[in-house]
Amino acid sequence: MGNREFKVVGKSVKKIDALSLAIGEAKYTADINLPNMLHIAFLYSPYPHAEIVEIDTKEAEKTPGVVLVLTYKDVPNTLHTTAGQGYPEPSPYDTRILDKRVRYVGDRVAIIAAETKEIAEEAKKKIKVKYRELPYNIDPEKAKESERIPPEGAYHLLPTIYEPEKNIAAGITLSVGDVEKGFSESDKVFEDRFEIHYANHAALEPHAALAFYDERGRLNIVSTTQVPFHARRITSRVLGIPVKDIRVIKPRIGGGFGGKQEVFLEQVVGLVTYKTKRPSKVVLSRKEVFISTRTRHPMITWYKAGVKKDTKEIHALRLKALMNAGAYGPHALTVMANAGSKVLPLFNKIKHLQFEGFSVYTNLPVGGAYRGYGATQGYFGFNVMLDMIAEELGIDVLEFFKKGHIKKGETSPIFEKLGEGKEGVSQIIRSCALSECIEKGSKAIKWHEKRRKKIRKGDKVRGVGAAILMQGSGIPKIDMGAAYMKMNEDGSFNLHIGATDLGTGSDTILAQIAAEEIGTSIDKIIVYSSDTDFTPFDVGAYASSTTYISGGAVLKCARKIKEEILKVAANMLNVPQDALFIEDGTVYTKDRTQRVTFSDIALYSLYSKDQHQIQSVASNIGLESPPPFMAQFAEVEVDIKTGRIDVVKFVSAVDCGQPINPALVEGQVEGATVNGIGYALWEEYVFDKKGRMLNPSFWDYKVPSIMDIPEMEVIICKTYEPTGPHGAKSVAEIGINGPVPAISNAVYDAIGVRLKKSPFTPERVLNAIKEQGLKL
């Protein structure tokens, strides 16, 4: 199968939605306006922790144009999680639409619905609130001893560590072998602390949602969601409206990166429309996106490694992780678990392993799903520690990588011991080109010509650093996707999928998978996605699942369609089915003496005596989560006088199995890498002592612009994953995990300074030079 010649797969075909996006015809949630529609604004808490003693909305309600003002007294009291995850969600039920207690600066206090957004914003200023301030904590290392943050009655559906009275949102411990014995047997023990920070997804399109009743009295919700089916289920639970009476539609989305895996607007517009029987819409401002949506979880990791000098291998490794969940706990378990599960199997020859992780509540903004999802946090310390160990052993870190990494045919006990919030799944690596990635990436960055050379020009010194990574492809035995197809009279096909295209090109990828299997061209596949009424179930776009999980469903569906096409053609030609083959939308006998086109077959099936629709449906669940692999290399230039770091060149060599669309693979890797470079160098929430964000705008919160993007090179090291559709694995997340450690290692190569706290601002670089007593 790995040597199969593809006609559609493996080709950089144009995205099927490219033209509509380029000319501005694609409709986003904010573009939709309905007659008689209400506009929603929120009043937010100015305090990190407080109880609402009194709230007076009379003056706001008197404002001309105001239709509805809601406080905690007026909304359902249902505890739920906003995490758009499969049921039962591996996240605590610790959230209400509105609560009498507010838990961070930016928590919601009231909902205002008015004829215009301007009126709603003006009216919220007239709401009078008397608060009783409560003790607060913004330090995760003090969370267990601080005032309880989650509400009374908060609970977890899964049998996991959850201790809300101690502000523990999640906990995991596991061991392989005897780590203390391993340390005692080691010749050298390394130990260090690494700290990674808050960051925003910074999607170009802000979060938005609208709701309306259709002519049959059903609640329709249009939303910037990555998870339409989870949004429907959670909204149903919170509002007490049956699932059958709710429809969720995902239009075009201007980026998600995990931030739109949360369900916190759908229930609001649904409630306003339910109460008023009028359409309602909310579009968050950029400031609101920063202070009130979701972030990357900050994390502190402590790595301890014991090394044997004779074998030049890691003998024992301990990872302790402390994750700041923020004021609520969506994804508190799974993100923290991934810091171990996506990292520790990469070096599978370590005999003694221990992982201990805790997520804790603080009175700070809420962490959620974010591209990389725990692996980004875990790989920082891991790759810096590997760089330190290799230096101590006197070997090139690339040789250390190649010797130690997991390889095809191998496994790791971590796969089975540490899953995403539940028992893991034992699996064997069936495809791996990581050594090839290391070789090709190192040549592209000119590793051996530049490493340890400290090339200097004036106050600027150059260095190179590397990081190796693995991720996953869906959550095994949990994530599921489905697809439906039918054949039309002209030989075209409707493909209905629940999978959510966030701008990643997944509609195009899934169309390529279908076209390849059926034996037609991609322009004959008409894709309709992400509508809970008209598309089959799919968990949504997260956990690098779309190509692998949803693509697997499309492949199964297309195979059934292909089988039915051949069956009908055999009847038409009066030959055995196994005497036929398909090529370019035509069925031929093997001797090519007879043929029928797809259009002929479709018309025959619809209008012959055996009339029927050629159609199929299929579901797919991943039994494994085959990891993509990547080696990333950074060349940096450090100004020793100012502390400024400039990334000169960045190389990413990736094994994502068989690339379905190489151009989209490159785009995903480049986008993730730029995302990671911005995270490494600039993007950071700045808080005052009460947890108030001081830089909630793109003016003060720096994200990379075109001027900041270095020379970039993406190298695809193709393999064939036998469990994936047409040999494919995932690719969208993994590229964000390497920039932080690769840049840190490159800075050390340049000036001998280890950066262990991100982002690597000029101030931190200069402080590190001073603290480590270096004279440059």
Side-chain angles (χ1 to χ4, degrees):
M1 291 294 291
N3 297 320
R4 175 177 172 179
E5 289 293 326
F6 293 109
K7 291 192 172 182
V8 183
V9 163
K11 306 297 187 293
S12 295
V13 303
K14 181 176 66 177
K15 285 179 66 178
I16 61 177
D17 55 355
L19 182 60
S20 67
L21 291 168
I23 64 177
E25 288 188 348
K27 291 292 185 288
Y28 296 81
T29 301
D31 294 324
I32 302 171
N33 291 294
L34 299 174
N36 203 32
M37 187 167 70
L38 297 173
H39 297 263
I40 294 170
F42 296 107
L43 176 65
Y44 297 103
S45 168
Y47 298 107
H49 200 192
E51 182 182 357
I52 299 172
V53 178
E54 294 178 12
I55 183 164
D56 183 353
T57 62
K58 294 186 183 64
E59 291 303 315
E61 291 167 344
K62 290 177 184 178
T63 304
V66 169
V67 175
L68 187 69
V69 179
L70 300 173
T71 71
Y72 71 90
K73 302 174 185 178
D74 312 302
V75 302
N77 195 39
T78 309
L79 283 167
H80 62 282
T81 177
T82 61
Q85 299 171 299
Y87 181 85
E89 301 96 335
S91 291
Y93 279 33
D94 60 2
T95 306
R96 296 183 173 95
I97 295 180
L98 297 172
D99 201 317
K100 187 176 182 179
R101 182 175 291 196
V102 289
R103 295 173 170 84
Y104 70 104
V105 177
D107 212 350
R108 293 174 186 165
V109 174
I111 300 165
I112 305 95
E115 301 294 345
T116 68
K117 185 64 178 283
E118 292 75 16
I119 293 173
E121 291 289 341
E122 186 62 30
K124 79 178 186 182
K125 299 174 185 176
K126 300 178 182 180
I127 298 174
K128 299 175 183 177
V129 187
K130 182 179 179 181
Y131 297 95
R132 180 172 67 89
E133 292 188 64
L134 299 171
Y136 65 91
N137 174 52
I138 61 174
D139 183 349
E141 294 187 88
K142 297 178 181 177
K144 296 178 185 179
E145 294 78 38
S146 69
E147 174 105 349
R148 176 182 171 131
I149 296 171
E152 295 294 332
Y155 63 98
H156 211 294
L157 293 177
L158 299 180
T160 185
I161 297 173
Y162 182 59
E163 301 178 40
E165 68 281 357
K166 296 181 181 179
N167 289 324
I168 296 175
I172 292 176
T173 59
L174 70 86
S175 293
V176 174
D178 185 335
V179 73
E180 293 298 338
K181 179 183 177 184
F183 290 141
S184 67
E185 294 171 345
S186 299
D187 299 309
K188 176 78 174 179
V189 175
F190 298 79
E191 192 167 10
D192 225 318
R193 168 188 164 124
F194 303 88
E195 189 170 348
I196 204 161
H197 62 290
Y198 265 107
N200 192 265
H201 304 77
L204 194 60
E205 178 199 28
H207 300 254
L210 68 89
F212 63 93
Y213 276 108
D214 63 21
E215 67 277 8
R216 295 188 178 183
R218 297 177 70 243
L219 182 64
N220 286 239
I221 298 173
V222 182
S223 172
T224 57
T225 181
Q226 297 178 216
V227 287
F229 287 90
H230 294 337
R232 181 179 65 172
R233 185 189 72 249
I234 292 171
T235 301
S236 170
R237 169 184 168 77
V238 174
L239 301 185
I241 299 173
V243 165
K244 69 180 181 64
D245 293 332
I246 302 174
R247 175 188 180 190
V248 176
I249 306 160
K250 187 257 351 159
R252 291 308 312 167
I253 290 186
F257 315 112
K260 293 170 183 173
Q261 193 185 330
E262 296 290 318
V263 183
F264 51 79
L265 292 181
E266 290 84 353
Q267 57 268 56
V268 172
V269 293
L271 180 62
V272 169
T273 292
Y274 174 80
K275 284 182 172 287
T276 64
K277 301 302 183 283
R278 292 177 59 176
S280 65
K281 182 166 82 169
V282 60
V283 180
L284 299 185
S285 68
R286 186 57 56 182
K287 180 178 179 180
E288 289 176 296
V289 171
F290 274 113
I291 69 168
S292 71
T293 62
R294 298 295 178 263
T295 71
R296 183 181 295 286
H297 292 91
M299 187 181 291
I300 303 169
T301 57
W302 293 265
Y303 276 93
K304 185 174 181 179
V307 178
K308 289 271 196 175
K309 289 191 175 180
D310 55 347
T311 60
K312 296 187 182 300
E313 292 180 344
I314 300 175
H315 187 60
L317 180 68
R318 173 189 288 149
L319 167 58
K320 296 177 69 174
L322 179 64
M323 191 174 84
N324 183 352
Y328 298 98
H331 306 275
L333 176 61
T334 46
V335 171
M336 181 263 295
N338 271 7
S341 67
K342 293 294 186 284
V343 175
L344 297 179
L346 186 55
F347 262 46
N348 67 321
K349 299 167 184 66
I350 302 172
K351 293 182 180 179
H352 306 283
L353 284 168
Q354 187 179 75
F355 175 70
E356 177 186 287
F358 287 96
S359 295
V360 294
Y361 290 103
T362 64
N363 297 110
L364 283 172
V366 183
Y370 193 141
R371 189 183 210 166
Y373 202 85
T376 309
Q377 292 93 319
Y379 270 119
F380 177 22
F382 181 78
N383 271 288
V384 174
M385 182 69 80
L386 293 182
D387 198 70
M388 294 164 65
I389 292 171
E391 182 182 45
E392 176 69 21
L393 294 175
I395 60 176
D396 188 332
V397 70
L398 301 189
E399 296 305 315
F400 193 52
F401 287 166
K402 285 190 284 187
K403 181 180 180 182
H405 79 74
I406 196 168
K407 298 173 178 64
K408 182 178 178 180
E410 297 180 349
T411 188
S412 166
I414 298 298
F415 289 138
E416 190 169 2
K417 283 180 171 284
L418 186 59
E420 285 195 37
K422 64 176 288 184
E423 184 180 352
V425 175
S426 177
Q427 60 180 2
I428 294 171
I429 299 299
R430 305 179 191 279
S431 58
C432 178
L434 183 52
S435 287
E436 180 186 348
C437 292
I438 294 168
E439 283 291 333
K440 290 184 175 179
S442 65
K443 288 180 181 177
I445 203 75
K446 297 183 178 179
W447 178 269
H448 296 293
E449 294 95 321
K450 298 174 180 177
R451 180 73 165 177
R452 304 303 187 214
K453 299 298 189 295
K454 300 186 185 298
I455 300 168
R456 183 166 182 168
K457 185 176 181 180
D459 293 330
K460 296 180 179 180
V461 190
R462 291 197 177 191
V464 291
I468 59 166
L469 319 152
M470 61 184 278
Q471 192 79 30
S473 301
I475 306 173
K477 298 187 178 180
I478 294 179
D479 283 352
M480 191 272 276
Y484 166 76
M485 293 187 74
K486 70 181 180 72
M487 191 177 191
N488 301 313
E489 293 96 323
D490 62 352
S492 65
F493 300 85
N494 292 101
L495 171 60
H496 288 197
I497 45 177
T500 310
D501 194 329
L502 313 178
T504 57
S506 65
D507 285 354
T508 304
I509 293 293
L510 299 179
Q512 285 183 262
I513 290 171
E516 181 69 50
E517 187 61 24
I518 293 170
T520 189
S521 55
I522 190 173
D523 64 301
K524 296 296 179 64
I525 308 296
I526 307 156
V527 179
Y528 182 69
S529 65
S530 309
D531 181 330
T532 59
D533 265 15
F534 295 105
T535 60
F537 179 84
D538 192 286
V539 292
Y542 62 87
S544 294
S545 63
T546 303
T547 297
Y548 185 73
I549 301 292
S550 306
V554 169
L555 182 63
K556 290 179 180 179
C557 190
R559 282 176 178 165
K560 291 182 180 181
I561 283 276
K562 181 179 181 181
E563 185 70 16
E564 183 64 21
I565 289 169
L566 290 171
K567 181 179 178 181
V568 173
N571 288 334
M572 293 173 69
L573 298 173
N574 196 27
V575 298
Q577 190 171 323
D578 60 7
L580 301 174
F581 71 95
I582 296 174
E583 184 178 283
D584 298 330
T586 302
V587 178
Y588 295 89
T589 56
K590 288 183 178 177
D591 59 8
R592 289 186 177 267
T593 59
Q594 299 184 75
R595 70 185 185 100
V596 284
T597 67
F598 275 12
S599 180
D600 297 331
I601 294 166
L603 288 166
Y604 182 87
S605 71
L606 292 171
Y607 297 108
S608 70
K609 63 179 180 179
D610 182 26
Q611 289 176 283
H612 71 283
Q613 171 74 66
I614 294 178
Q615 61 184 329
S616 70
V617 64
S619 300
N620 184 55
I621 183 169
L623 300 179
E624 301 180 16
S625 181
F629 295 92
M630 183 177 283
Q632 291 189 301
F633 299 83
E635 180 180 2
V636 304
E637 186 173 75
V638 185
D639 189 319
I640 60 174
K641 295 298 183 184
T642 67
R644 177 186 170 117
I645 300 169
D646 285 310
V647 180
V648 178
K649 183 174 182 178
F650 204 98
V651 174
S652 300
V654 62
D655 159 23
C656 61
Q658 166 65 51
I660 302 296
N661 187 314
L664 292 182
V665 168
E666 291 178 12
Q668 284 296 302
V669 173
E670 288 172 351
T673 301
V674 171
N675 201 170
I677 291 171
Y679 184 51
L681 297 180
W682 307 297
E683 299 180 38
E684 182 180 25
Y685 276 51
V686 179
F687 298 106
D688 67 13
K689 64 181 182 179
K690 287 196 172 184
R692 181 182 294 106
M693 187 184 182
L694 300 178
N695 58 329
S697 74
F698 283 152
W699 184 259
D700 297 307
Y701 181 96
K702 166 69 176 171
V703 296
S705 71
I706 192 66
M707 300 298 292
D708 302 304
I709 298 175
E711 178 187 349
M712 299 183 70
E713 185 173 350
V714 176
I715 302 166
I716 299 173
C717 299
K718 186 168 69 172
T719 59
Y720 189 91
E721 172 53 48
T723 67
H726 297 311
K729 299 186 284 191
S730 72
V731 75
E733 289 189 89
I734 189 170
I736 200 172
N737 297 330
V740 174
I743 291 171
S744 176
N745 288 336
V747 169
Y748 180 78
D749 186 55
I751 62 173
V753 170
R754 290 284 182 197
L755 299 175
K756 302 169 187 174
K757 182 176 181 178
S758 62
F760 308 139
T761 60
E763 293 84 355
R764 288 200 175 108
V765 174
L766 292 177
N767 286 338
I769 292 172
K770 182 178 179 181
E771 289 169 3
Q772 296 176 34
L774 298 177
K775 294 183 179 180
L776 302 173

